[in-house]
Amino acid sequence: MNFTRWSARLPGTQRRAARDDRTPVPAARVEYAQADTGAGPPDGDPDGPGALPAGPTLEDLSARDILGRLPALVALVHGPDHRITYVNDAYTAAFGPRPLNAPAAEAMPELTELSLLPLMDQVLRSGTPRTVKSRKAGSGNSYTVTCTPVRHDRAKGHEGGVLVYAADVTDHAEAAERLRTSESRHRKTAVTLQRSLLPQELEQPDDLRIAATYQPGGTDAAVGGDWYDVITLGAGRTALVIGDVMGRGVRAAAVMGQLRTAVRAYARLDLPPHEVLQLLDGLAAEIDASQIATCAYAVHDPNEGLLVYSSAGHLPILVREEDGTVNRAEDPTGPPLGTGGWIHTSGTIALPPGSTAVLYTDGLVERRSEDIDEGVASLERALAGAKGSPQVVCDRLMRSLNITAEHDDDVAVLVVQHPARTGATAELFHNASLDLLGGIEAAPRARAFATGVLTSWRFPMELCELGVLAAGELVANSLQHGTPPMRLALRRTDRRLIIEVTDGDDHLPRRRRAEPGDEAGRGISIVASIATSWGSRRTPGGGKAVWCEFALPQ
């Protein structure tokens, strides 16, 4: 901005234009200059008609009169024991009269309340003024105090002293306190909302061991929208979710809650990860176009030992193998949720027995002083040496990356372990499968296979009969409505029996009410009636899988 041009519009200023020294100055401008500077008229006559009376100089004013009329509190002390020389009327009105020549430590208890005596000693020694802000006295008032050194006059025998100048800032201090209280209440509300929207208790799948940690940013940082979730999908499969809404406060927490709810709903459809993120992308734009979120969604299938994942602008999943090697899930990664116009894709990363996967938000690895890739590399090094239970790994990663209560960003960490089972524990987990070639002999073969397997697993007779019935109905349904290749798979965990039939047709079955005269349509209803749960999904190869589960007696 051209301040020379605009200064003429400000009251009490002159426009200084670039002019030649020989350019005549109008008489009105000369008078204006005289009024500002106190200079005499053009003819040099100090008593001319345009002269103004001279104001008093600083030497003409009494320091006692000036200090006495100030609304601020003023006290003057001298000597190393700060003997009182002078207090003004405002000081007397605030704290009462003070005896002259008395030591301040004895006669001015308010200085002790304000912790000023050590400061006055420092000012007297150093000869440098010091200021302290918003100190609260016993009366409840708050003061901002400046202590200024007063030089001694050796010729007159005067000792050096300190001039104490205190401005009453009680109103400002109370307003600041109300603001801090309001911000604290707002932050507490946001943290409470954030924690209430996170899982209160993580689901623990049969084949995985999981722990999570969430830590809000320090008191100077507003709460963000970090979240995580664990969703059991059935048939032993588990969905793992980590996300971060790019915002702060209650609004970000509310958007996070809506996205988390939507993820759980979409996960129940048992869609591939990239399709879940595709649906979530459109929903995020509808919730709030100004809020952008990142998210990573992964599905673990114990039969394949893989994590199938998709990422919307989120940081890569890390997997630590049993020997300490850390692998990073690089591609595919799409843009954040809410941006629209992008077709997400899915990728895979191995999660064999004995390995540990870590999903996290940027608060764990992002630092202002370094590139985020360096933070991810630091996390890889920390993960390589982190052993123990999932919760122990969580805690070690937080400590290794120096995440404290004063950290400036929210942090969410989800640790997933696929334990390597041996001995008696391994006996509780079994798999068996049979390829079905079709034809009229397929159903009897499936029932005979299921009978032999379930009997060898030493299930109770009633559970064996129910399992064989469910396997027969699922195979019959696949023979009638599906296409080869067909496969029957039985899986036993320490908590449930899982029966799954896959085929090459991608039309998902649905439960319906069969009429009395119908010869078909009752298979799925029978399975739904006898099993604990059932479901179906499309498989990556273009076919489908239909499954049911039976809870094992404890």
Side-chain angles (χ1 to χ4, degrees):
M1 179 181 289
N2 189 336
F3 287 99
T4 302
R5 175 182 178 187
W6 289 99
S7 63
R9 302 188 181 185
L10 303 175
T13 62
Q14 302 177 47
R15 178 180 178 183
R16 298 181 179 179
R19 59 175 74 251
D20 191 274
D21 292 339
R22 296 170 296 176
T23 304
V25 180
R29 183 64 56 81
V30 173
E31 294 176 9
Y32 183 75
Q34 292 168 358
D36 281 354
T37 64
D43 56 6
D45 183 4
D47 298 323
L52 296 177
T57 63
L58 188 60
E59 289 76 7
D60 298 329
L61 301 176
S62 168
R64 180 178 291 274
D65 291 341
I66 295 175
L67 297 178
R69 296 181 182 182
L70 287 177
L73 284 60
V74 179
L76 179 62
V77 298
H78 70 280
D81 54 353
H82 306 301
R83 294 184 175 274
I84 303 171
T85 300
Y86 168 79
V87 293
N88 70 347
D89 294 341
Y91 197 104
T92 301
F95 297 113
R98 294 292 180 258
L100 299 181
N101 290 322
E106 300 175 3
M108 304 176 81
E110 62 276 3
L111 299 185
T112 302
E113 295 173 357
L114 296 171
S115 303
L116 291 179
L117 292 176
L119 182 68
M120 293 164 62
D121 292 336
Q122 182 182 1
V123 169
L124 190 63
R125 288 193 305 268
S126 65
T128 304
R130 294 286 187 269
T131 299
V132 293
K133 296 182 179 180
S134 194
R135 292 283 178 88
K136 195 168 187 178
S139 61
N141 288 15
S142 297
Y143 299 92
T144 292
V145 185
T146 299
C147 296
T148 305
V150 177
R151 292 180 296 178
H152 64 279
D153 191 337
R154 294 181 180 178
K156 296 182 179 181
H158 294 168
E159 293 180 294
V162 177
L163 180 70
V164 180
Y165 181 95
D168 192 331
V169 294
T170 303
D171 292 342
H172 294 83
E174 291 177 350
E177 182 61 29
R178 288 194 298 269
L179 179 60
R180 284 192 294 269
T181 301
S182 175
E183 290 177 345
S184 177
R185 184 166 54 249
H186 180 83
R187 173 182 168 78
K188 184 177 180 180
T189 300
V191 170
T192 302
L193 175 62
Q194 173 84 339
R195 291 192 180 279
S196 66
L197 294 174
L198 291 174
Q200 302 304 302
E201 185 175 352
L202 287 177
E203 298 182 27
Q204 293 292 338
D206 298 356
D207 295 272
L208 302 176
R209 297 295 176 262
I210 301 177
T213 295
Y214 169 75
Q215 179 174 301
T219 54
D220 294 334
V223 176
D226 295 18
W227 93 91
Y228 55 83
D229 210 347
V230 178
I231 309 165
T232 54
L233 303 178
R237 301 166 71 250
T238 306
L240 310 168
V241 192
I242 193 83
D244 185 3
V245 177
M246 302 301 181
R248 297 289 182 187
V250 174
R251 180 58 184 165
V255 172
M256 177 274 290
Q258 296 178 76
L259 292 178
R260 176 176 174 255
T261 302
V263 169
R264 294 191 70 87
Y266 294 147
R268 298 305 178 191
L269 301 176
D270 216 340
L271 300 172
H274 65 276
E275 293 189 21
V276 171
L277 291 189
Q278 205 69 45
L279 293 172
L280 204 61
D281 180 49
L283 180 65
E286 295 178 7
I287 292 175
D288 190 341
S290 64
Q291 294 277 5
I292 295 178
T294 65
C295 181
Y297 181 91
V299 175
H300 173 255
D301 191 332
N303 296 318
E304 299 176 358
L306 295 174
L307 275 182
V308 183
Y309 68 92
S310 185
S311 174
H314 205 78
L315 293 167
I317 300 172
L318 302 180
V319 176
R320 177 190 183 276
E321 297 181 5
E322 196 169 12
D323 61 358
T325 303
V326 177
N327 301 316
R328 181 187 301 190
E330 295 289 354
D331 293 326
T333 299
L337 302 175
T339 55
W342 182 268
I343 303 299
H344 293 273
T345 56
S346 294
T348 60
I349 185 171
L351 188 68
S355 60
T356 300
V358 177
L359 294 79
Y360 53 97
T361 57
D362 58 0
L364 182 65
V365 296
E366 190 173 29
R367 301 292 183 272
R368 296 179 182 179
S369 59
E370 64 183 23
D371 187 81
I372 195 169
D373 287 336
E374 297 179 12
V376 176
S378 298
L379 177 60
E380 289 180 336
R381 291 191 293 271
L383 179 60
K387 298 180 180 180
S389 67
Q391 189 58 58
V392 170
V393 173
C394 265
D395 296 339
R396 288 183 176 177
L397 294 181
M398 297 282 280
R399 287 196 303 269
S400 297
L401 277 81
N402 299 318
I403 305 299
T404 65
E406 300 303 320
H407 191 59
D408 60 358
D409 196 4
D410 289 21
V411 176
V413 182
L414 183 65
V415 175
V416 181
Q417 286 186 348
H418 186 188
R421 295 181 174 88
T422 57
T425 304
E427 290 300 316
L428 300 178
F429 292 81
H430 292 285
N431 290 281
S433 61
L434 174 68
D435 291 326
L436 302 173
L437 302 178
I440 58 174
E441 75 283 355
R445 287 186 60 225
R447 287 192 291 269
F449 175 77
T451 300
V453 170
L454 298 183
T455 302
S456 68
W457 288 350
R458 299 179 182 178
F459 285 145
M461 182 60 66
E462 181 181 0
L463 182 57
C464 287
E465 294 175 352
L466 292 176
V468 171
L469 175 59
E473 293 296 337
L474 292 181
V475 169
N477 185 77
S478 180
L479 290 171
Q480 183 173 359
H481 302 287
T483 59
M486 302 178 186
R487 185 182 181 88
L488 168 64
L490 305 177
R491 177 171 173 76
R492 176 226 169 103
T493 72
D494 58 343
R495 305 177 194 174
R496 71 200 77 224
L497 166 66
I498 302 168
I499 302 173
E500 184 175 70
V501 175
T502 58
D503 63 54
D505 184 80
D506 62 356
H507 291 85
L508 300 181
R510 59 185 179 87
R511 186 179 180 182
R512 63 184 180 88
R513 182 184 296 275
E515 298 298 331
D518 293 344
E519 296 182 358
R522 296 179 177 83
I524 296 298
S525 295
I526 293 174
V527 172
S529 299
I530 64 175
T532 305
S533 61
W534 77 280
S536 62
R537 70 179 188 279
R538 290 187 174 89
T539 55
K544 68 174 180 294
V546 186
W547 55 268
C548 67
E549 294 181 351
F550 293 88
L552 299 184
Q554 298 300 317

